[in-house]
């Protein structure tokens, strides 16, 4: 880890908008093995972004599909037995075929079945891990939080994120919080975007995992994929929150805002700053 | 049953708003083992209320979670085999650990697999049963209705509700209809709230079961939990129906209205009256 | 196939509105064994139409229910093992009891498990097949497309549709595209309705399958059921698209528009023309 990593460098807005344009142009096929609560919202989020969602999560198909998908999301929110086996099949296929994949370890640490599943999935080296701080800590063997809630802060999980990178081949860890952190081997990005409304609807974080998988399809750098995906999603949340009357209309406005996002608005609103891991 | 139970006593509005404030303040953790159609809507309803939803419904986790949850909903809408086993595990844990739980016996009587499951679940003594009149009748061995529809009226199911209370340890039965009834050992409350729009979207009743589970977390009296949950949910429905252009926008407005609910509006709109079981 | 089938005859608008009124009046019970992504949207679409949805899809109940339902939808979007068995049970019951049923072969051809399932289901002679062109081709043994996408046009699948009719007892095939085609033994109808917004939310096609199942309950002619269902759904989409700010609000407005549909608007907007199979 280069201690001299330049602090406070802004993430280049030209790169952000280029990645965004690429997702729109290439329409990546994103396979989601995700929880039963958020399938519809996740699929609609990907469609609004310009990606092509497929929720293929059965044994005998999930591995095959992961071999042709441009990105894969594996989210552990409601991992029933068939889906668990399909997740392992998909992760194995991603590892074999080089498909980038995002692991969202929902409630890992707090609950045993998914904790064991996460341990097995880590062997297939997820490209990106996205979770709240307690989930990232738990994925490294720490104690998980209260369901999907989290009292610890993103900075508390940065060492755990570095362990995932050093020990499990993970390339980027996106840690959700009031200010998200995206950590890679070279440094950490702060993403000071989003809105508290994202915590008042189910699936705000789950859909972000899918959005990051879509961005993984258009760059070989999972760190910038995670940063760009987070910025796009959370700037859309800011726009939606300004219009919404409550969480019900926020969820609707968020899909509209992702769809209506234009590169210029993205450029003007984005304010990602880089900090060195030593800071 | 005290025949002299005072008729037409209003449910104390101070108590109603106190329970509502308690849910907001304590943010109860509500576990839902519910049907695949309404998971998203139910989770968003709980979040809007101020509760913390968790849809943990797999074997090996559901019992553990039920031991730490503040309230549990078991809804039989789409009970696939894994979920059936997880429901029994959760109910057993609720019985062992004293976690209040709500049983919503969707389409029981009409369909055999869930009817047998309901029979098994009754052994773990649900705190509250919530359903339409035909489902409540069927739970006592009567004949069920046409799916989730019901032609019988809530009053027709009051004797069945009393049997559930006398024979199965149930503390409160919430029977849905144009005017809901909430029956306990001591008497019956009428809840003359709600809107026909609730019958034009899927999950209006299912989400109410989750709301009642949240209220069970803030009082030791399941009857007042069922009354308060019903009033909050149905007053929100009245507010939403006044703004909505149709059932699509109603579902959105309902989440907004639950989120925006304030104690004063609740007090002004609520008009629950008590009637004796002999009336 | 009568080569002299009169081209360009308009579908009688009186018949269209009569079928629509019949669905409203009779409130058909429509059983859906459908994918996990669209259950909520599908149920709300049916409720908005005036039908009564039931998502019964477990073994031991699905066949029983299919015997009492007025129409059944079997959609292969996320066919986990329990649901696959339940689908076969329901299809067998439909064949035995004469219940009309709609098969939506999502991603058949591209993925092996559902392709084998579709082959088995075809033995029970679906009343209507609804899909995109590549799915209809694949159902006849051709090569499927990219998940739910399709690059081939509806006209490319018309011969395949005729094979389904000739060889598998199918009565009508609804092929989705910019202009939908509905093909029966006697000829093909063009349905030049709908809006591109339908492709920007998940479930636009899946819900149409359920709507067609509802119309099958009010006529013995599956071709006119498929035409009428398609027109009602797609005219509603046109109305919704004119009001919506993006795909999030479109999905909401679509449910509202289905609910608000009146026969006179339907008559004025509908413009279905018939073309002979030889044209």
């Amino acid at each position: 880890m280069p201690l001299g990593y330049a602090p406070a460098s802004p993430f280049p807005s030209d790169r952000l908008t280029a990645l965004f344009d690429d997702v729109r142009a290439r329409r990546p096929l994103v396979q989601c093995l995700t929880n039963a609560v958020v399938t519809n919202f996740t699929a609609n989020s990907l469609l609004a972004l310009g990606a092509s969602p497929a929720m293929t999560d059965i044994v005998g198909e999930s591995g095959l599909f992961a071999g042709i998908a441009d990105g894969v999301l594996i989210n552990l929110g409601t991992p029933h037995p068939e889906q668990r086996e399909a997740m392992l099949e998909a992760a194995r296929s991603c590892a074999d075929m080089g498909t980038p994949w995002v692991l969202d370890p929902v409630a890992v640490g707090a609950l045993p079945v998914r904790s064991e599943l996460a341990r097995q999935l880590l062997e297939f080296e997820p490209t990106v891990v996205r979770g709240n701080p307690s989930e990232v800590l738990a994925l490294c063997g720490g104690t998980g939080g209260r369901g999907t809630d989290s009292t610890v802060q993103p900075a508390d999980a940065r060492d755990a994120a570095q362990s995932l990178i050093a020990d499990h081949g993970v390339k980027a860890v996106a840690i959700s919080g009031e200010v998200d952190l995206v950590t890679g081997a070279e440094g950490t990005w702060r993403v000071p975007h989003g809105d508290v409304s994202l915590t008042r609807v189910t699936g705000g974080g789950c859909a972000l995992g899918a959005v990051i998988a879509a961005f993984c399809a258009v760059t070989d750098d999972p760190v910038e994929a995670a940063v760009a995906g987070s910025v796009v999603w959370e700037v859309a949340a800011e726009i939606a929150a300004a219009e919404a009357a409550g969480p019900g209309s926020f969820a609707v406005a968020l899909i509209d805002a992702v769809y209506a996002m234009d590169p210029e608005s993205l450029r003007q609103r984005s304010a990602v700053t880089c900090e060195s891991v030593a800071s």
Side-chain angles (χ1 to χ4, degrees), chain A:
Chain A
M1 235 66 57
L3 287 184
Y5 195 83
S9 312
F11 188 86
S13 61
D14 285 355
R15 186 66 187 145
L16 176 65
T17 55
L19 290 169
F20 176 72
D21 288 341
D22 280 357
V23 168
R24 284 270 155 96
R26 291 184 44 190
R27 215 185 149 199
L29 182 59
V30 180
Q31 179 184 8
C32 300
L33 301 94
T34 192
N35 70 73
V37 190
V38 303
T39 45
N40 187 275
F41 186 65
T42 304
N44 279 340
S45 298
L46 286 172
L47 284 166
L49 180 66
S52 183
M55 318 313 260
T56 310
D57 68 347
I58 62 174
V59 173
E61 293 187 349
S62 70
L64 180 69
F65 206 94
I68 61 165
D70 299 308
V72 174
L73 167 68
I74 296 182
N75 172 300
L76 306 189
T78 56
H80 54 80
E82 168 80 4
Q83 203 189 42
R84 293 202 293 275
E85 199 178 332
M87 286 171 170
L88 290 166
E89 182 183 306
R92 183 176 291 112
S93 176
C94 286
D96 289 346
M97 305 293 284
T99 307
W101 68 287
V102 177
L103 175 63
D104 190 333
V106 180
V108 160
L111 294 168
V113 175
R114 64 193 72 196
S115 299
E116 169 60 17
L117 174 62
R119 196 191 59 71
Q120 294 175 285
L121 286 168
L122 273 184
E123 293 179 22
F124 299 107
E125 302 195 345
T127 314
V128 179
V129 169
R130 191 222 75 80
N132 66 33
S134 67
E135 290 162 350
V136 172
L137 283 166
L139 201 57
C140 286
T143 309
R146 182 200 196 213
T148 57
D149 291 333
S150 181
T151 49
V152 292
Q153 296 303 310
D156 301 329
R158 208 158 58 174
D159 288 349
Q162 287 301 327
S163 297
L164 290 172
I165 292 167
D167 301 339
H168 296 286
V170 173
K171 298 293 183 295
V173 181
I175 315 170
S176 295
E178 196 174 342
V179 173
D180 287 10
L181 295 182
V182 176
T183 290
E186 304 291 319
T188 294
W189 297 89
R190 297 173 74 249
V191 181
H193 288 288
D195 188 89
V196 67
S197 298
L198 275 174
T199 66
R200 294 183 184 140
V201 292
T202 192
C206 301
L208 172 55
V211 167
I212 291 174
F215 276 89
C216 283
V218 297
T219 169
D220 288 332
D221 180 354
V223 173
E224 70 170 12
V227 172
S230 298
V231 173
V232 169
W233 182 245
E234 293 176 9
V235 166
E238 294 168 5
I239 295 169
E243 297 171 0
S249 45
F250 170 75
V252 173
L254 177 52
I255 300 290
D256 283 355
V258 171
Y259 180 76
M261 184 72 69
D262 67 294
E264 197 46 45
S265 300
L266 197 56
R267 185 193 311 274
Q268 285 174 10
R269 279 178 173 264
S270 69
V272 185
T273 55
C274 179
E275 59 181 33
S276 85
V277 293
S279 72

